[in-house]
């Protein structure tokens, strides 16, 4: 036991507790502690006495009587296996860094168990992602965008099917159900390596500001992702129509949503698109900061549910919703869909991603807010030409 405590990477108290538990179990086995026989234990727990009721109960309760020595050996084997399982689990936990070795009473590293990284680390992670995306080939970018659009289409179809057939007279309840289901798309996209035009507007803008990509990379990412998202979402709308899913209440909701999206003015749709991608990019930001799947899901769910429930406009989601509405019989033309919705929504989404999120977070955590630009006084000096010249970086001797 002493050797176990010495080799364990846990604290002495935890190791002592585990060691004591194992020693207690072995002692019970060696003493032949058998106050609960097999049949009594299961009857106390309320297990059925008949072997026909539960096969496992029959096998355990109908065993023939064995000698005390046999029971001692059996119990000893049980505790031995339990102890082996505990030690194996502790060894795996030690390898994965769950327990931190303390040297001289030093506390474990604060970041060793962190499930969320800092905002600065999140920004740096997204900038690194922009550099990675800039190096992807055109075909891989297109494939990732098609898959991303397909996942958005799947989530849109799920929301239409469930919310449309919810049989609730309240529009608010239908919107709540739709908003609760739709966020699963972004979880699928981010965890599978898919790309969305809306998220790339912020990611590539950050990379451009920090010098990790150029305008050519940014344009390629935006354009190819936009085209791929249209292909993925449009394909899912066609699949839904072909398989007969766009019928009944599902089709009615699709038509209603398509008509509503093309009902507002250009300016109204533009502002709603700006607000929408602000929330979508924040969902990406929160998912990036979270280091476990549950945290990523929570970070995604609330901002996406928020924009859906409010009624903001998301271009990639509309790549599915509008074709689905047309295929379901909405009295709209393709020109109505493009000019009354997709164009203003695309512009608004780009403004939010590139300016509000990309430039905004670069000012907070990146190069846009460094030096004189980070304060009102310094900004005034820059505008009036009174700023001190930037310090020259010495060139290392070769």
């Amino acid at each position: 036991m002493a050797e176990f405590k010495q080799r364990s990477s846990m604290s002495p108290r935890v190791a002592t507790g585990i060691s004591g538990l194992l020693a207690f179990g072995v002692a019970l086995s060696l003493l032949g502690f058998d106050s609960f026989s097999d049949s009594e234990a299961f009857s106390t727990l309320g297990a059925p006495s008949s072997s026909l009721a539960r096969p496992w109960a029959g096998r355990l309760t109908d065993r023939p009587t064995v000698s005390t020595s046999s029971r001692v050996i059996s119990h000893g084997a049980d505790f031995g296996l339990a102890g082996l399982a505990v030690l194996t689990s502790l060894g795996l936990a030690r390898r994965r860094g769950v327990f931190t070795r303390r040297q001289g009473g030093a506390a474990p590293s604060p970041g060793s168990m962190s499930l969320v990284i800092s905002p600065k680390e999140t920004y740096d992670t997204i900038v690194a992602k922009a550099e990675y995306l800039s190096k992807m080939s055109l075909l891989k970018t297109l494939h990732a965008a098609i898959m991303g659009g397909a996942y958005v289409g799947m989530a849109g179809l799920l929301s239409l099917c469930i919310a449309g057939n919810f049989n609730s007279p309240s529009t608010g309840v239908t919107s709540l159900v739709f908003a609760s289901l739709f966020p699963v798309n972004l979880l699928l996209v981010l965890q599978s390596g898919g790309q969305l035009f809306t998220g790339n507007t912020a990611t590539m803008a950050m990379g451009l500001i920090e010098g990790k990509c150029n305008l050519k990379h940014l344009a390629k990412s935006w354009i190819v992702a936009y085209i791929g998202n249209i292909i993925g979402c449009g394909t899912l709308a066609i699949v839904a129509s072909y398989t007969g899913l766009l019928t009944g209440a599902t089709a009615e909701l699709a038509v209603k949503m398509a008509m509503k999206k093309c009902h507002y003015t250009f300016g109204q749709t533009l502002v709603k698109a700006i607000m929408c991608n602000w929330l979508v990019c924040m969902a990406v930001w929160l998912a990036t900061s979270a280091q476990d799947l549950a945290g990523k899901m929570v970070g995604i769910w609330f901002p996406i549910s928020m924009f859906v429930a409010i009624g903001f406009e998301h271009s990639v989601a509309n790549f599915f919703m509008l074709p689905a509405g047309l295929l379901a019989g909405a009295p709209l033309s393709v020109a109505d869909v493009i000019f009354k919705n997709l164009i203003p929504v695309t512009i608004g989404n780009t403004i939010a991603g590139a300016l509000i999120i990309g430039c905004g977070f670069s000012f907070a955590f990146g190069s846009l807010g460094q030096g004189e630009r980070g304060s009102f006084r310094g900004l005034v000096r820059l505008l009036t030409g009174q700023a001190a010249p930037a310090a020259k970086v010495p060139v290392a001797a070769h």
Side-chain angles (χ1 to χ4, degrees):
M1 294 303 171
E3 183 181 359
F4 165 73
K5 290 188 289 183
Q6 184 178 5
R7 293 185 179 181
S8 175
S9 60
M10 300 179 296
S11 64
R13 290 184 178 180
V14 177
T16 302
I18 298 294
S19 303
L21 180 62
L22 294 177
F24 180 70
V26 173
L28 291 180
S29 299
L30 295 177
L31 292 174
F33 184 78
D34 195 29
S35 60
F36 289 102
S37 65
D38 293 339
S39 59
E40 290 171 345
F42 278 94
S43 62
T44 303
L45 295 174
S49 58
S50 173
S51 61
L52 297 178
R54 291 184 182 177
W56 59 267
R59 288 197 300 269
L60 291 174
T61 57
D62 297 341
R63 291 183 299 179
T65 303
V66 294
S67 64
T68 302
S69 59
S70 299
R71 285 197 296 269
V72 170
I73 295 174
S74 175
H75 290 315
D78 292 341
F79 278 105
L81 291 175
L84 180 61
V86 171
L87 293 175
T88 303
S89 302
L90 293 176
L92 292 175
R94 182 181 180 182
R95 289 185 179 182
R96 296 181 180 181
V98 174
F99 301 107
T100 304
R101 180 183 295 275
R102 299 185 181 185
Q103 300 292 345
S109 173
S112 60
M113 295 290 290
S114 177
L115 297 179
V116 180
I117 60 178
S118 68
K120 180 62 170 67
E121 291 172 319
T122 303
Y123 180 79
D124 293 338
T125 301
I126 296 178
V127 170
K129 180 181 178 181
E131 184 178 11
Y132 171 77
L133 294 180
S134 68
K135 296 178 180 179
M136 288 183 66
S137 67
L138 189 147
L139 186 59
K140 282 194 172 183
T141 303
L142 180 64
H143 171 263
I146 292 174
M147 297 302 293
Y151 291 135
V152 172
M154 290 179 185
L157 182 59
L158 169 69
S159 302
L160 286 176
C161 291
I162 302 300
N165 293 275
F166 199 68
N167 295 327
S168 173
S170 174
T171 305
V173 174
T174 302
S175 299
L176 179 62
V177 173
F178 195 102
S180 300
L181 297 172
F182 188 72
V184 70
N185 74 86
L186 191 56
L187 183 66
L188 295 175
V189 171
L190 294 180
Q191 292 306 109
S192 66
Q195 293 188 39
L196 298 181
F197 162 76
T198 47
N200 284 7
T201 57
T203 301
M204 299 306 294
M206 294 180 190
L208 179 66
I209 294 170
E210 303 302 330
K212 300 300 182 180
C213 62
N214 54 36
L215 283 174
K216 180 181 177 181
H217 296 142
L218 181 143
K220 181 195 76 172
S221 176
W222 288 7
I223 295 172
V224 176
Y226 195 87
I227 295 172
N229 291 162
I230 292 176
I231 295 173
C233 290
T235 301
L236 260 294
I238 295 172
V239 168
S241 177
Y242 175 76
T243 54
L245 295 175
L246 287 179
T247 57
T250 302
E252 293 177 6
L253 182 57
V255 170
K256 180 181 178 180
M257 293 190 68
M259 294 294 294
K260 184 178 180 180
K261 288 179 177 296
C262 296
H263 173 71
Y264 297 95
T265 65
F266 188 98
Q268 290 174 322
T269 305
L270 176 71
V271 173
K272 289 199 297 181
I274 293 174
M275 300 300 294
C276 175
N277 206 31
W278 189 346
L279 291 172
V280 171
C281 291
M282 282 307 303
V284 175
W285 177 274
L286 294 177
T288 304
S289 67
Q291 299 301 293
D292 65 319
L293 189 60
K296 292 180 183 293
M297 182 175 66
V298 172
I300 287 170
W301 228 267
F302 290 99
I304 301 300
S305 296
M306 190 187 305
F307 99 72
V308 174
I310 293 173
F312 292 153
E313 296 291 339
H314 188 258
S315 57
V316 182
N318 291 352
F319 293 159
F320 171 79
M321 294 298 173
L322 293 174
L326 292 175
L327 293 172
L332 296 169
S333 65
V334 176
D336 292 332
V337 167
I338 294 175
F339 291 101
K340 293 183 178 181
N341 185 275
L342 291 182
I343 290 180
V345 171
T346 300
I347 296 173
N349 288 167
T350 305
I351 292 173
L355 297 181
I356 297 178
I357 299 298
C359 294
F361 280 115
S362 178
F363 179 79
F365 308 110
S367 60
L368 282 186
Q370 292 180 353
E372 298 285 354
R373 298 185 295 266
S375 66
F376 282 112
R377 184 175 298 177
L379 188 59
V380 170
R381 286 198 295 264
L382 283 173
L383 295 176
T384 57
Q386 300 175 2
K392 294 184 179 180
V393 179
V395 179
H398 295 283

